[in-house]
Amino acid sequence: MKYITFLIQCSDSKGLLAGITAFFYDNNFNILSCQQHTDLYTDKYFMRIKLDMSDLKMSRSDLEESFAKFAEPFKLNWSVSYSDAIPRVAIMVSKTTHCLYDILQKKQEGDLRCEIPLIISNHPDLEFVADQFKIPYYCFPMTKANKAEQEKQILELLDKHHIDLVVMARYMQILSEDFVKRYNYKIINIHHAFLPAFQGARPYMRAYEKGVKLIGATAHYATAELDEGPIIEQDVERVSHESSPEDLMRIGKDIERRVLSSAIRAHLDNQIIITNNRTIIFSS
Amino acid sequence: MKYITFLIQCSDSKGLLAGITAFFYDNNFNILSCQQHTDLYTDKYFMRIKLDMSDLKMSRSDLEESFAKFAEPFKLNWSVSYSDAIPRVAIMVSKTTHCLYDILQKKQEGDLRCEIPLIISNHPDLEFVADQFKIPYYCFPMTKANKAEQEKQILELLDKHHIDLVVMARYMQILSEDFVKRYNYKIINIHHAFLPAFQGARPYMRAYEKGVKLIGATAHYATAELDEGPIIEQDVERVSHESSPEDLMRIGKDIERRVLSSAIRAHLDNQIIITNNRTIIFSS
Amino acid sequence: MKYITFLIQCSDSKGLLAGITAFFYDNNFNILSCQQHTDLYTDKYFMRIKLDMSDLKMSRSDLEESFAKFAEPFKLNWSVSYSDAIPRVAIMVSKTTHCLYDILQKKQEGDLRCEIPLIISNHPDLEFVADQFKIPYYCFPMTKANKAEQEKQILELLDKHHIDLVVMARYMQILSEDFVKRYNYKIINIHHAFLPAFQGARPYMRAYEKGVKLIGATAHYATAELDEGPIIEQDVERVSHESSPEDLMRIGKDIERRVLSSAIRAHLDNQIIITNNRTIIFSS
Amino acid sequence: MKYITFLIQCSDSKGLLAGITAFFYDNNFNILSCQQHTDLYTDKYFMRIKLDMSDLKMSRSDLEESFAKFAEPFKLNWSVSYSDAIPRVAIMVSKTTHCLYDILQKKQEGDLRCEIPLIISNHPDLEFVADQFKIPYYCFPMTKANKAEQEKQILELLDKHHIDLVVMARYMQILSEDFVKRYNYKIINIHHAFLPAFQGARPYMRAYEKGVKLIGATAHYATAELDEGPIIEQDVERVSHESSPEDLMRIGKDIERRVLSSAIRAHLDNQIIITNNRTIIFSS
């Protein structure tokens, strides 16, 4: 079954829901699901509407034009996506494989709806994984001196491949502010700690030293401020005084990969609206 | 803020959402939240609508009559509740206090919206807790011989006190089929196991013998079939070979009370629709 | 069954375990459990030994003297406790009841092995709970001006009642450094966040603003540095964009009380050794 | 660092711990860890001792002979393993890849200490995964008629490759009683439900129909009784009325793979003793 998904945000006002649902009904759509959220602090209203695409009797541009006209008086901020447009994802990695295999396996078994036309790394180490899955691998070694030039080339690659989403699957380089802004809210990073605890480097070692009883991982949109972007997903596992820093790293890998792929899935499925550096995540 | 909550179920058909939201808009209501669920197996449609009660400009019976008229052609199965009608809850207990204190404390601190006009038991042991909270305590000792008569008296008490919900807070007697039917889907029981595992007696001992690595608890509506009613909430905790049956009981108490009070809360908040012996639980 | 529990720490060296177990065997003890931990970073060795007290054929002071002699060449740092010496606990509260009821209920039902001779507060609000459980309630209102004097009086009360453990069950005052040092590693506090995230004030509001997907609570020993003492127990619950700050507070209460009582239990059961601002928590 | 690990079980008696630790001390071993468990119901005693292998000054057979002599009067039931003997694991699969990739990735990254000399299947579908990792793949299609013969050939393969552990990584065939007995407690299976709930076929569909609020997975030793062998590891995830049977399957995959690899790890690490159809799992 094919879907059309609208994501909408605006100021709250009476009649919004009735108005929007009437619009789609008048255009002969079956509304498969309609989810809303009202932020009581900002009085903002958020909505996700999923339509049966087989009800679409006009062209996509006509639908969009028509909805744009409808949306204007309400000052709706909106976007639409069609489930037959498969998102194109670039994966960036460094040296560990757990997140990478997880994404590739899920994509291959049909649990992540996307294309993965390329894998980018700052190291040559994981080319063999790309080879296993027959995906082109591009290696851009990074030094302080060449970083700007290398990022420029990466951006060109992303452009050329029409990339919709960049996934930093334990890519251990900080992207420049310029890079991040070019793919605004289109870069998902996995941080190996339960943010806002242990921002920055060596989180497992710091978790060990602090003696926490749970360790976690956080998937978030990359923004100009390191590890400060909107949080998409988090999870934790219990550890104890018996867990060495190496144990924390190993236990953490399983958390990282499931948190990251859950975030990717929510993004690909158009479940996410960002507001005020927080995410609203509608169910799928 | 006061609410009006409609719970609706019907066969799925185009235009339902637009129609229902238009009805409330035309009657000048601000829709605070509108949640839906479609069961793809049975093609049934479920909805929970929450309205701002301050928008109510007619009498309640006029609203209900008007909605009944609207609902007829769609064959909607519906109910309505008003947040200023505080539900009246009877608690039934036997000898352990953990669920009882939890409910009383939460009610007292404003985390459960209800009245608790009486506590009923088959043992005198917990009268002191009722005294602490100044709630009348009724003791009906049960034998095979007197059970029918005692249940009759309990039912009269519940009637007299206009009880909306009966909570079996570790009440260790099986209610008769007649009793359960009189309070159809208005009795919540806590079973001290992760159903459908370990139905029936001595679940912690059986969990110990089986060597499970997690134990759980299940809150469900009581039905004529023991431990077979619609599940409302479940949770688990990790245990190990080091956990004795006594440890399981102790660990289980914390699971039981949080699962039970979470289920009570969902019921009191009109979040639950039952279909096909399963529960749909809308968020609050 | 009565126990003797030894907690031991020292530098690691060959033959420690054989030596210590031989000591107890030679003194005719059945070793019920013997747990060890080696910190590979500091090369320190930690041990908890539980003995059947019915094997004790000498006086307690003779046992301790004898063990002290044995311990000297190994430079063991050790303590011993006897399960028939019931620890005396003072609870400090402010205005919320959830942790307080939890502790009182568990103590009453035999799930926390302790005496609770008094409850101390900076507000009169919770005297009714103390009355319900017939425990003396002492109220010391705090101002900047009287804090030193009030703390002095509290310390005198604790002394007079031979208090072994002070539990800050959502006591919303910061204890002075002097106070904390007088009850060094004998004060357990519950912080309503997953430390080290959201140290300090208003953690639920800050968690809401940050948009975290899990909230937590942390029980730790109070030290001179606020919210920096050794962590004893932590736990989390899932929340979402739908959870208001009030929801976080309510959900958090259940986490707080179970984390706090789990930490109290571990302390009362002599399961904890502190090293390097971290806790080693042996199973019970 | 290399280890020697002893697993011991016997009747409980005074002096066991002192005796065993003295034996190893007298033989000049540093005891890295020594874990015990006493089953109070059966009065049986269980122990795991980990020694620094660099302390081994005699031949392995001399050590074993010497310990056998020591063990005789105590009637110890024991086994020993040396960490430089890498266990050889055969993986059996059918058509889904999630557990298979997980094991292969963890082995490859050093998180599972084993060799994987072959993958066995009843279908040709997953040969491409074996090829990616350059592991021989053997396909034995199964019919009622050929099952006995095919199992015989599989057993010959396992023999020939000196297999220590067989992992059923979603192998959707029931092994015959004879097969299971040949690899007694050396076959680990993953069942896609929280046992003892939903034994047998189609557990996710039955979980959906039952309306459970958590789904789980269970890793256990295969025994002659289907899904009745000693449980090694279990875990669960929260689901809701919104989760379709397909969602349950997808969510379940992540549980299955982490539960299975955790069980494999515990087995390979010699952390498990089986008693009374339950597992004692010492920490690593």
Side-chain angles (χ1 to χ4, degrees):
Chain A
M1 193 182 197
K2 290 181 184 171
Y3 307 113
I4 305 174
T5 309
F6 278 82
L7 293 176
I8 300 168
Q9 53 179 310
C10 58
S11 296
D12 199 6
S13 75
K14 226 180 236 189
L16 263 175
L17 180 57
I20 293 171
T21 54
F23 173 86
F24 289 113
Y25 180 59
D26 294 345
N27 282 282
N28 236 340
F29 278 107
N30 191 19
I31 294 176
L32 296 173
S33 83
C34 168
Q35 301 159 286
Q36 311 107 53
H37 175 66
T38 308
D39 185 325
L40 297 171
Y41 283 76
T42 60
D43 218 37
K44 279 186 101 178
Y45 186 76
F46 306 89
M47 188 184 279
R48 178 178 183 258
I49 289 198
K50 218 167 137 182
L51 309 169
D52 185 342
M53 208 195 290
S54 65
D55 292 333
L56 180 64
K57 303 301 181 209
M58 49 186 130
S59 73
R60 294 179 186 195
S61 57
D62 280 354
L63 170 67
E64 291 167 28
E65 218 168 283
S66 168
F67 189 75
K69 242 175 247 168
F70 165 82
E72 222 192 305
F74 290 107
K75 295 187 182 163
L76 306 188
N77 195 331
W78 62 278
S79 65
V80 62
S81 52
Y82 305 86
S83 68
D84 55 4
I86 307 298
R88 296 172 64 79
V89 175
I91 306 179
M92 299 184 78
V93 294
S94 288
K95 292 187 169 179
T96 57
T97 64
H98 54 288
C99 288
L100 178 58
Y101 271 118
D102 184 46
I103 296 166
L104 296 176
Q105 182 269 324
K106 282 186 169 136
K107 191 261 170 197
Q108 183 177 270
E109 234 181 44
D111 290 331
L112 282 179
R113 197 182 55 91
C114 64
E115 297 297 332
I116 302 176
L118 77 172
I119 295 170
I120 293 166
S121 181
N122 56 335
H123 292 288
D125 304 53
L126 302 191
E127 183 160 12
F128 79 98
V129 183
D131 286 351
Q132 286 178 328
F133 288 80
K134 301 188 176 56
I135 297 173
Y137 186 84
Y138 297 87
C139 181
F140 296 92
M142 292 275 171
T143 63
K144 258 190 192 164
N146 75 357
K147 181 162 177 172
E149 175 55 25
Q150 297 288 63
E151 282 203 346
K152 193 168 153 272
Q153 294 208 24
I154 295 175
L155 282 169
E156 278 167 21
L157 253 185
L158 299 178
D159 257 20
K160 192 181 126 195
H161 286 277
H162 304 284
I163 293 303
D164 300 298
L165 175 69
V166 176
V167 173
M168 299 170 75
R170 298 299 309 273
Y171 179 71
M172 304 307 279
Q173 281 280 323
I174 298 170
L175 298 177
S176 71
E177 203 173 321
D178 277 356
F179 193 112
V180 169
K181 281 186 178 161
R182 274 286 302 279
Y183 279 82
N184 195 25
Y185 297 141
K186 291 187 172 168
I187 304 174
I188 295 178
N189 182 40
I190 179 75
H191 183 70
H192 39 315
F194 184 77
L195 290 174
F198 307 122
Q199 274 177 263
R202 299 169 59 256
Y204 289 128
M205 193 63 205
R206 285 153 66 205
Y208 172 84
E209 287 162 358
K210 179 71 189 166
V212 292
K213 301 300 183 186
L214 300 163
I215 57 163
T218 303
H220 63 95
Y221 286 109
T223 56
E225 288 75 43
L226 183 65
D227 299 334
E228 289 279 9
I231 292 170
I232 308 171
E233 177 62 315
Q234 302 188 287
D235 208 352
V236 295
E237 285 286 337
R238 194 155 285 277
V239 296
S240 80
H241 65 271
E242 290 189 309
S243 316
S244 68
E246 290 73 33
D247 291 330
L248 301 192
M249 278 184 59
R250 180 178 48 76
I251 294 165
K253 284 179 182 179
D254 273 10
I255 317 174
E256 292 164 30
R257 67 176 181 178
R258 73 171 179 260
V259 163
L260 179 57
S261 63
S262 164
I264 295 171
R265 191 178 160 82
H267 182 95
L268 295 177
D269 225 16
N270 302 297
Q271 297 173 240
I272 308 179
I273 296 180
I274 297 163
T275 177
N276 227 351
N277 210 42
R278 303 167 76 237
T279 58
I280 292 162
I281 312 215
F282 294 110
S283 57
S284 68
Chain B
M1 194 183 197
K2 290 180 185 169
Y3 308 113
I4 306 175
T5 308
F6 279 83
L7 292 176
I8 299 168
Q9 52 178 308
C10 58
S11 296
D12 198 6
S13 74
K14 226 180 235 189
L16 264 174
L17 179 58
I20 293 171
T21 54
F23 172 88
F24 289 114
Y25 180 59
D26 293 345
N27 282 283
N28 236 340
F29 279 106
N30 192 18
I31 294 177
L32 296 172
S33 82
C34 169
Q35 302 158 285
Q36 311 108 53
H37 175 65
T38 307
D39 186 326
L40 297 172
Y41 284 77
T42 60
D43 218 38
K44 280 186 101 178
Y45 186 76
F46 306 90
M47 189 186 275
R48 179 178 184 257
I49 289 198
K50 220 167 137 182
L51 308 168
D52 185 342
M53 209 196 286
S54 67
D55 292 333
L56 181 63
K57 302 303 179 208
M58 49 185 131
S59 74
R60 294 178 187 197
S61 57
D62 280 354
L63 170 67
E64 291 168 27
E65 218 168 281
S66 168
F67 189 75
K69 242 175 247 167
F70 166 82
E72 223 190 307
F74 291 106
K75 296 190 179 157
L76 306 188
N77 195 331
W78 62 278
S79 65
V80 63
S81 51
Y82 304 86
S83 68
D84 55 4
I86 307 298
R88 297 172 63 79
V89 176
I91 306 178
M92 300 185 77
V93 294
S94 289
K95 293 188 168 178
T96 57
T97 64
H98 55 287
C99 287
L100 179 57
Y101 270 118
D102 183 47
I103 296 166
L104 296 175
Q105 182 267 325
K106 283 188 169 134
K107 191 260 169 198
Q108 183 177 269
E109 234 181 46
D111 290 331
L112 282 178
R113 195 184 54 92
C114 64
E115 297 297 330
I116 301 176
L118 78 170
I119 295 169
I120 294 167
S121 182
N122 56 335
H123 292 288
D125 305 51
L126 302 192
E127 182 159 13
F128 80 98
V129 183
D131 286 351
Q132 286 177 331
F133 288 81
K134 300 188 174 58
I135 297 173
Y137 187 85
Y138 297 87
C139 181
F140 296 92
M142 292 277 171
T143 63
K144 257 190 195 166
N146 76 358
K147 181 161 177 172
E149 175 55 26
Q150 296 289 62
E151 282 202 348
K152 195 170 150 271
Q153 294 207 25
I154 295 176
L155 281 169
E156 279 168 19
L157 252 184
L158 299 179
D159 258 19
K160 195 180 123 192
H161 285 276
H162 305 284
I163 292 303
D164 299 297
L165 176 68
V166 177
V167 173
M168 300 172 73
R170 296 300 310 272
Y171 178 70
M172 305 308 280
Q173 281 280 323
I174 297 170
L175 298 177
S176 72
E177 203 174 319
D178 277 357
F179 192 111
V180 169
K181 282 186 179 163
R182 275 287 302 280
Y183 280 81
N184 197 23
Y185 297 141
K186 291 185 173 170
I187 305 174
I188 295 178
N189 182 41
I190 179 75
H191 183 70
H192 39 315
F194 183 78
L195 290 174
F198 308 122
Q199 273 178 263
R202 302 171 55 258
Y204 288 128
M205 194 61 204
R206 286 153 65 207
Y208 172 83
E209 287 163 357
K210 179 70 189 167
V212 292
K213 300 300 182 186
L214 300 163
I215 57 164
T218 304
H220 62 95
Y221 286 110
T223 57
E225 289 73 43
L226 182 67
D227 299 336
E228 289 279 10
I231 292 170
I232 307 170
E233 177 63 314
Q234 305 187 287
D235 209 353
V236 296
E237 285 287 338
R238 194 154 284 277
V239 297
S240 79
H241 65 272
E242 291 188 311
S243 316
S244 67
E246 292 72 34
D247 290 331
L248 300 193
M249 279 184 59
R250 179 179 49 76
I251 294 165
K253 284 179 182 179
D254 274 9
I255 316 175
E256 291 164 30
R257 66 176 181 178
R258 74 171 179 260
V259 163
L260 179 57
S261 64
S262 165
I264 296 171
R265 190 179 162 83
H267 181 97
L268 295 177
D269 226 16
N270 302 297
Q271 297 172 241
I272 308 178
I273 296 181
I274 297 163
T275 178
N276 226 353
N277 209 43
R278 303 167 75 237
T279 57
I280 291 162
I281 311 214
F282 294 111
S283 57
S284 69
Chain C
M1 194 182 194
K2 291 181 184 170
Y3 306 113
I4 305 174
T5 308
F6 278 82
L7 292 176
I8 300 168
Q9 53 178 308
C10 58
S11 296
D12 197 6
S13 73
K14 224 180 238 189
L16 264 175
L17 179 58
I20 292 170
T21 55
F23 173 87
F24 289 113
Y25 180 61
D26 294 344
N27 281 283
N28 236 340
F29 278 105
N30 191 19
I31 294 176
L32 296 172
S33 82
C34 169
Q35 301 157 285
Q36 310 107 52
H37 175 65
T38 307
D39 185 324
L40 297 172
Y41 283 76
T42 60
D43 218 39
K44 280 186 100 178
Y45 186 77
F46 306 90
M47 188 184 277
R48 178 177 183 258
I49 289 197
K50 218 166 136 182
L51 309 168
D52 184 343
M53 208 196 288
S54 67
D55 292 333
L56 181 64
K57 302 304 180 206
M58 50 184 130
S59 73
R60 293 177 187 199
S61 58
D62 280 356
L63 171 66
E64 291 168 26
E65 217 168 283
S66 168
F67 189 75
K69 240 175 246 166
F70 165 83
E72 223 193 304
F74 290 106
K75 296 190 180 158
L76 306 188
N77 196 331
W78 61 278
S79 65
V80 63
S81 51
Y82 304 87
S83 68
D84 56 4
I86 307 298
R88 297 171 65 79
V89 175
I91 306 179
M92 300 184 78
V93 293
S94 288
K95 292 186 168 181
T96 56
T97 64
H98 54 287
C99 287
L100 179 58
Y101 271 117
D102 183 47
I103 296 166
L104 296 176
Q105 182 269 325
K106 283 189 168 133
K107 191 261 170 198
Q108 183 177 270
E109 233 180 46
D111 289 331
L112 281 179
R113 195 183 54 90
C114 64
E115 298 298 331
I116 302 176
L118 78 170
I119 295 169
I120 293 166
S121 182
N122 55 335
H123 292 287
D125 305 53
L126 301 191
E127 182 159 14
F128 80 99
V129 183
D131 285 352
Q132 286 177 327
F133 288 81
K134 302 188 173 57
I135 297 172
Y137 186 85
Y138 297 87
C139 182
F140 296 92
M142 293 277 171
T143 63
K144 258 191 191 163
N146 75 359
K147 180 161 176 172
E149 175 56 25
Q150 295 290 63
E151 282 203 346
K152 194 169 151 270
Q153 293 207 25
I154 295 175
L155 281 168
E156 277 167 21
L157 252 183
L158 298 179
D159 257 20
K160 194 180 126 193
H161 285 277
H162 304 286
I163 293 303
D164 300 298
L165 176 69
V166 176
V167 173
M168 299 171 74
R170 297 297 312 270
Y171 179 71
M172 304 307 281
Q173 280 280 323
I174 297 170
L175 298 176
S176 71
E177 201 173 322
D178 277 357
F179 193 112
V180 169
K181 282 187 176 162
R182 275 286 302 280
Y183 280 80
N184 195 25
Y185 297 140
K186 291 184 172 171
I187 305 174
I188 295 178
N189 182 41
I190 180 74
H191 183 69
H192 40 316
F194 183 77
L195 290 174
F198 307 122
Q199 274 176 262
R202 302 172 54 260
Y204 289 128
M205 194 61 205
R206 287 153 65 206
Y208 172 82
E209 287 163 356
K210 179 69 189 166
V212 292
K213 301 300 182 185
L214 300 163
I215 58 163
T218 304
H220 63 94
Y221 286 109
T223 56
E225 288 75 42
L226 182 66
D227 299 334
E228 289 279 12
I231 292 170
I232 308 171
E233 177 62 314
Q234 303 188 287
D235 208 353
V236 295
E237 286 286 339
R238 193 156 285 276
V239 296
S240 79
H241 65 272
E242 291 188 309
S243 316
S244 68
E246 292 71 34
D247 290 330
L248 302 193
M249 279 185 59
R250 180 179 48 77
I251 294 166
K253 285 178 181 179
D254 274 9
I255 317 175
E256 292 165 29
R257 67 176 181 178
R258 73 172 181 261
V259 163
L260 179 57
S261 65
S262 164
I264 296 172
R265 191 179 161 81
H267 181 96
L268 294 177
D269 225 17
N270 302 298
Q271 295 172 243
I272 307 178
I273 297 180
I274 297 163
T275 177
N276 226 353
N277 209 43
R278 304 167 76 237
T279 57
I280 291 161
I281 312 213
F282 293 110
S283 57
S284 69
Chain D
M1 195 182 195
K2 292 182 184 169
Y3 306 114
I4 305 174
T5 308
F6 278 81
L7 293 177
I8 300 169
Q9 53 178 309
C10 59
S11 296
D12 199 6
S13 74
K14 226 180 235 189
L16 264 176
L17 180 58
I20 293 170
T21 54
F23 172 87
F24 290 113
Y25 180 59
D26 293 346
N27 281 282
N28 237 338
F29 278 106
N30 191 20
I31 294 176
L32 296 173
S33 82
C34 169
Q35 301 157 286
Q36 309 107 54
H37 175 65
T38 307
D39 185 324
L40 296 172
Y41 283 75
T42 59
D43 219 37
K44 280 184 100 178
Y45 187 76
F46 305 89
M47 188 184 275
R48 179 177 183 258
I49 289 198
K50 218 166 136 182
L51 308 169
D52 185 341
M53 208 197 286
S54 67
D55 292 332
L56 180 64
K57 302 302 180 208
M58 51 185 128
S59 74
R60 293 178 187 196
S61 57
D62 281 354
L63 170 67
E64 291 168 28
E65 217 169 283
S66 168
F67 189 74
K69 242 175 244 167
F70 166 81
E72 222 192 305
F74 289 107
K75 293 185 182 164
L76 305 188
N77 196 330
W78 62 279
S79 65
V80 62
S81 52
Y82 305 86
S83 69
D84 56 4
I86 307 298
R88 297 170 65 79
V89 176
I91 306 179
M92 299 184 79
V93 293
S94 289
K95 291 186 170 181
T96 57
T97 63
H98 54 288
C99 287
L100 178 58
Y101 271 118
D102 183 46
I103 295 166
L104 296 176
Q105 182 268 326
K106 283 187 168 136
K107 191 260 170 198
Q108 184 177 270
E109 232 180 47
D111 290 331
L112 282 179
R113 196 183 54 91
C114 65
E115 298 296 332
I116 302 177
L118 78 171
I119 295 170
I120 293 166
S121 181
N122 55 336
H123 292 289
D125 304 52
L126 302 191
E127 183 159 12
F128 79 97
V129 183
D131 285 352
Q132 285 178 330
F133 288 82
K134 302 189 174 58
I135 298 173
Y137 186 84
Y138 297 88
C139 182
F140 296 92
M142 292 276 171
T143 64
K144 256 190 192 165
N146 75 359
K147 181 162 177 171
E149 175 54 27
Q150 296 290 62
E151 282 203 347
K152 193 168 153 272
Q153 294 207 24
I154 295 176
L155 281 169
E156 278 168 21
L157 253 184
L158 298 178
D159 257 21
K160 194 182 126 194
H161 285 276
H162 305 284
I163 292 304
D164 299 297
L165 175 68
V166 176
V167 173
M168 299 169 76
R170 298 299 309 273
Y171 179 70
M172 304 307 279
Q173 280 281 321
I174 297 171
L175 297 177
S176 72
E177 201 173 322
D178 277 358
F179 192 112
V180 169
K181 281 186 177 161
R182 274 287 302 280
Y183 279 81
N184 197 24
Y185 297 141
K186 291 186 173 170
I187 304 174
I188 295 178
N189 182 41
I190 180 74
H191 183 70
H192 40 313
F194 184 77
L195 291 174
F198 308 122
Q199 275 177 263
R202 299 170 57 256
Y204 288 128
M205 193 62 204
R206 287 151 65 205
Y208 172 83
E209 286 163 357
K210 179 70 190 166
V212 292
K213 300 300 182 185
L214 300 163
I215 56 163
T218 304
H220 63 94
Y221 286 109
T223 57
E225 288 75 42
L226 183 66
D227 298 335
E228 288 279 11
I231 292 170
I232 307 170
E233 177 63 314
Q234 303 188 288
D235 208 352
V236 295
E237 285 287 336
R238 193 156 285 278
V239 296
S240 80
H241 65 273
E242 291 188 311
S243 317
S244 68
E246 292 71 35
D247 290 331
L248 300 192
M249 278 184 60
R250 180 179 47 78
I251 294 165
K253 284 179 183 179
D254 273 9
I255 317 175
E256 291 164 30
R257 66 176 182 179
R258 73 171 179 260
V259 163
L260 179 58
S261 64
S262 165
I264 296 172
R265 192 179 160 83
H267 181 96
L268 295 177
D269 225 16
N270 302 297
Q271 296 173 241
I272 308 179
I273 297 180
I274 297 163
T275 177
N276 228 351
N277 209 42
R278 304 166 76 238
T279 57
I280 292 162
I281 311 217
F282 294 110
S283 58
S284 68

